[in-house]
Amino acid sequence: MNPAMDRRMAERRRGVAEQSARRRLRILLIAAIIAALGGIAAWALRSPLLDVDHLNVQGAVRSPAEAILASQGLGAGRALISIDEGAIEAALLADPWIAHAEVRVEWPATVDVIVLEYLPMAWVDGGDEWSLLSVEGAVLEHAAAPDAQTARIDLPIPGVHRGSRVSDPDLLGALQFVAALDDVLREGAAVFAADGDLWATVAGVAVRLGRPVEMPEKAAAVQALLGEELPPGSTLDVIAPTRPAAIPGLPLEPEGATAAEPLP
């Protein structure tokens, strides 16, 4: 091989070696930059720059939502990246009052907690104690006696515990009837069983409900009849809610009724 060819080959080898060295250097620089950025990102994610500065809790009235959040370590200073929304939602839903819960992490510094609570609808006789139920049949709390303002259902449900749900058709129908009444008529209303039917007293008037079907329609029929002038001692019959009737002169409670004593 002539000298000129040797020089060209040597120059080419040097060029290839230099390109390879520059390529390795670029790779090392890129790796160093990525590592540095990763370290900065990891620090930032757990630094005061990206922690909880604002915790907004909406919808919690009767439930101890804030105490539950505190028990889960959710509060000011908590790193947003460490928050497990699903676990916190599950902890909230374990409370009997909470029907729905949603936890939203809003970067860079906010957590929104949205709670939907069950609405208390009626006290139900549990034998040794009374249980407060929602229209869905969720058992919210217990008490030795019901208050005078909330509706009552005298259909025994012994042995239920807070957080459970009842499934008895008569009881669920009674809850639906009470829920469909307006606020004024619902206060102090009572539902009970007599002679194989469901009955109610609404605004001091006896109401024959029959089977636990079409309860919202039956409540609407009762409200319409109570808006009219009724003969003293009338009993309302809404077994067929499209053909309601006011029957004068019947006693307030039929023989064999299991209604509770009037509240003080």
Side-chain angles (χ1 to χ4, degrees), residues 229-241:
E229 186 173 349
L230 300 174
S234 292
T235 293
L236 306 183
D237 189 325
V238 294
I239 290 179

Side-chain angles (χ1 to χ4, degrees), residues 26-191:
R26 283 197 299 271
I27 292 172
L28 289 173
L29 287 173
I30 291 171
I33 291 171
I34 291 173
L37 290 175
I40 293 171
W43 172 84
L45 288 172
R46 297 187 177 275
S47 76
L49 297 175
L50 295 173
D51 65 5
V52 178
D53 291 335
H54 308 287
L55 177 58
N56 303 320
V57 182
Q58 304 174 32
V61 178
R62 298 175 178 87
S63 64
E66 293 188 0
I68 295 171
L69 296 176
S71 73
Q72 296 295 306
L74 182 56
R78 173 81 175 264
L80 293 181
I81 196 174
S82 70
I83 295 173
D84 185 341
E85 295 100 321
I88 297 173
E89 289 171 357
L92 289 166
L93 289 172
D95 185 82
W97 278 100
I98 298 178
H100 176 78
E102 185 175 353
V103 178
R104 299 175 182 170
V105 174
E106 302 289 346
W107 298 84
T110 301
V111 176
D112 292 326
V113 179
I114 302 169
V115 168
L116 178 64
E117 295 181 341
Y118 289 110
L119 294 177
M121 194 53 58
W123 288 101
V124 181
D125 186 3
D128 295 334
E129 60 185 357
W130 289 76
S131 300
L132 185 61
L133 270 62
S134 72
V135 68
E136 298 88 355
V139 181
L140 307 177
E141 63 181 51
H142 300 301
D147 62 83
Q149 289 72 43
T150 307
R152 297 170 63 178
I153 298 176
D154 296 309
L155 300 173
I157 52 165
V160 297
H161 61 273
R162 291 185 71 227
S164 65
R165 282 192 178 227
V166 299
S167 57
D168 179 74
D170 283 350
L171 183 51
L172 292 176
L175 288 165
Q176 292 170 6
F177 174 77
V178 169
L181 296 172
D182 64 32
D183 292 342
V184 174
L185 294 179
R186 187 184 307 125
E187 184 174 327
V191 180

